[in-house]
Amino acid sequence: MKRKLFLFCIVATVLAAAFCLLPELAGNTFSTDSEGLILATGPAFAALKWPVGRNNMGGFKGYLIFVPADAPSAMPEVPAWDEAADNEELVTASGTFTFPAEGTIKSPLYLYSTDATVGYNAEAQGEADGISYRQTLTAFFPGNMKEAHAFAALVKNTPGYYIFEDSDGQQMMIGQKGMPASTSVAFAGGQARADRRGHTFNITADSNYSAIFLETPLDVEAVKNGTWASAGAGG
C-alpha cells in the first residue's frame, strides 16, 4: 500500500511540473491567463466593434514619401504570420529605413501631392485558397515642371516603397521587402485655360494584407526639408 502511494505521489509531481512548464516550452504559441489557463496567442478572429461617435473622415494628407527598392539597407517589415504576437502586429511594419553611407540616396524622398488627390484602395484577388490583395495608391503632382517629367522617367521602371498618411495621422506603406510597388505616371497638359496640368501617379503592389501600417512614423518635416538622416548615413 505504501509503495503504491509513493508511486502515485511521484506521478502526480511529474504531471504537475509538466503542466507548469508547458507554456514556456511552447514559446510564443501559448500564454496563461490570470487563472493559469493555457491560451493560444497570435493572430486570431476577434469581434469588430465600432465606437459610437468615432471620427471616420476619408482621404489622405497631401504628400507621398518614396524609397527606391535598392536604396535602403534595412526597412520596416511586417512579421511572418506565425511570429505575430497579435492581430495588430500582423499588419504593422516594425523597424525603420536605414541607408548605407556610401549609397547615392541617403534619405526617403518627399513628393508633394495636391490636396484631396491622394487615394488608396485594396481589392481582393486570386482563387479559392489563394486570396491576396491588390493595393493601389494614387496621387497628383501639379504643373509642367521639368523636374516632374524627369522623376516620371526615372520612376517608371524603378520598384520601391511609398509612405502616406490618413486623416487620423496613421502612416501606411505600400510595397514590402521582396514585393515592392510599381509606379505608372501619366501627364495631362489640359486644353482649356481652366484645365489643371500635372502628373497622375498610379502605384500598385501585391500583398497578403489590405493595409500595412508603420510602427515608427517617419518625420515628414525632416524628410521634406532635407534634415532626415538614418543611422547608416551617419545621421
Side-chain angles (χ1 to χ4, degrees):
M1 183 65 181
K2 291 183 177 180
R3 187 169 179 272
K4 290 183 179 180
L5 181 59
F6 177 73
L7 291 175
F8 176 80
C9 292
I10 291 177
V11 172
T13 302
V14 171
L15 291 175
F19 185 84
C20 292
L21 290 174
L22 184 58
E24 295 182 15
L25 294 175
N28 292 331
T29 305
F30 297 97
S31 66
T32 56
D33 65 4
S34 59
E35 297 179 354
L37 297 176
I38 300 175
L39 303 173
T41 62
F45 282 110
L48 293 176
K49 300 179 180 180
W50 181 257
V52 175
R54 180 172 182 171
N55 292 332
N56 190 32
M57 181 171 63
F60 300 86
K61 297 186 179 180
Y63 76 87
L64 302 179
I65 290 177
F66 175 63
V67 178
D70 63 352
S73 56
M75 62 170 291
E77 296 183 58
V78 293
W81 180 280
D82 56 355
E83 295 176 358
D86 53 36
N87 289 5
E88 287 193 10
E89 188 172 299
L90 182 66
V91 294
T92 301
S94 62
T96 58
F97 286 102
T98 302
F99 297 83
E102 66 275 11
T104 56
I105 296 177
K106 294 180 170 59
S107 73
L109 304 172
Y110 178 89
L111 306 176
Y112 169 85
S113 298
T114 298
D115 183 47
T117 64
V118 177
Y120 175 80
N121 294 288
E123 300 290 337
Q125 63 178 4
E127 300 176 315
D129 293 331
I131 302 297
S132 61
Y133 290 96
R134 184 68 167 176
Q135 302 172 336
T136 302
L137 176 67
T138 56
F140 181 83
F141 183 84
N144 190 28
M145 298 167 55
K146 293 179 181 179
E147 295 91 335
H149 287 282
F151 187 91
L154 292 169
V155 80
K156 68 181 185 296
N157 290 318
T158 301
Y161 317 106
Y162 287 85
I163 307 301
F164 54 107
E165 185 177 348
D166 73 2
S167 59
D168 296 324
Q170 299 180 111
Q171 287 188 2
M172 303 167 66
M173 180 171 70
I174 183 171
Q176 299 168 238
K177 187 174 182 179
M179 294 191 296
S182 59
T183 307
S184 175
V185 187
F187 175 75
Q191 292 177 304
R193 296 292 183 266
D195 291 344
R196 180 175 66 181
R197 301 179 298 176
H199 288 84
T200 297
F201 287 72
N202 190 68
I203 301 144
T204 56
D206 295 316
S207 178
N208 280 315
Y209 310 108
S210 56
I212 294 176
F213 300 86
L214 287 188
E215 180 180 62
T216 304
L218 284 173
D219 186 336
V220 179
E221 287 304 314
V223 173
K224 182 179 179 180
N225 61 34
T227 60
W228 189 96
S230 74

